Amino acid sequence: MNIRRVVEVGRHEFAFTARRPMLWVLVALLGLLVWGLSAGGVTISSGGSQVGGTEAHITSQFSQALTLSVTILTLYGFFLAVAAGMAVIRDDEHKLGEILHATLLTPAEYIWGKFLAIMGAFAGVVTLHLTMAAFFNHALADAASADYIGPFSLANYAVPALAFGMPVIIFLGG
């Protein structure tokens, strides 16, 4: 397998995916969602807090893990299925198969390039999602939100994304 060919296929697919309006609609939906979560107008419930005692801050790793798990499985799942599923179908509609068979590009290089490009694009969306969440939760917080917004810690956002978010994205994209 030639890594240069994988990177070239991935570069073209990543550029196409990053320009798709569908991806930016997902980013806009995520922005509205995290804004609503930070303002308190949107909630993702997981049962009553009467049993467990004190409730965790919405910026804790536990709350972020719950929010990311639900968001990635529902919102990301739809958009990722469309982006990953249509990549090869789009090339088939454009009759790219005949051109690819005339080159040294192997099917493995082609598929890995497409897959890694889609994963890279959605890793960028996750990064934007977490950046917007941190911004709305901490930069736009007021005194009234001090009860449910804790101190900023990058680990509170990165650890749940790596532990719960990225494996689901890789699974759904595959």
Side-chain angles (χ1 to χ4, degrees), residues 76-91:
Y76 282 77
F78 171 74
F79 288 95
L80 181 60
V82 172
M86 292 300 292
V88 177
I89 295 171
R90 186 184 67 250
D91 289 347

Side-chain angles (χ1 to χ4, degrees), residues 35-97:
W35 175 56
L37 284 168
S38 71
V42 176
T43 58
I44 297 176
S45 354
S46 62
S49 63
Q50 298 86 1
V51 179
T54 58
E55 200 169 318
H57 292 118
I58 67 166
T59 57
S60 69
Q61 283 188 16
F62 305 109
S63 294
Q64 288 298 313
L66 172 70
T67 303
L68 276 174
S69 297
V70 171
T71 305
I72 286 178
L73 197 55
T74 55
L75 279 178
Y76 282 77
F78 171 74
F79 288 95
L80 181 60
V82 172
M86 292 300 292
V88 177
I89 295 171
R90 186 184 67 250
D91 289 347
D92 190 41
E93 287 174 351
H94 291 138
K95 306 269 190 245
L96 206 60

Side-chain angles (χ1 to χ4, degrees), residues 76-166:
Y76 282 77
F78 171 74
F79 288 95
L80 181 60
V82 172
M86 292 300 292
V88 177
I89 295 171
R90 186 184 67 250
D91 289 347
D92 190 41
E93 287 174 351
H94 291 138
K95 306 269 190 245
L96 206 60
E98 290 81 9
I99 296 170
L100 291 176
H101 292 306
T103 67
L104 295 176
L105 186 67
T106 65
E109 293 167 345
Y110 173 74
I111 294 298
W112 274 110
K114 293 278 186 179
F115 177 74
L116 292 174
I118 299 291
M119 293 301 103
F122 276 86
V125 171
V126 170
T127 303
L128 281 172
H129 178 186
L130 297 177
T131 303
M132 288 187 294
F135 175 76
F136 285 125
N137 285 333
H138 299 286
L140 300 181
D142 55 0
S145 62
D147 293 338
Y148 58 91
I149 293 183
F152 175 76
S153 171
L154 184 61
N156 287 353
Y157 295 95
V159 171
L162 292 173
F164 295 105
M166 291 312 290

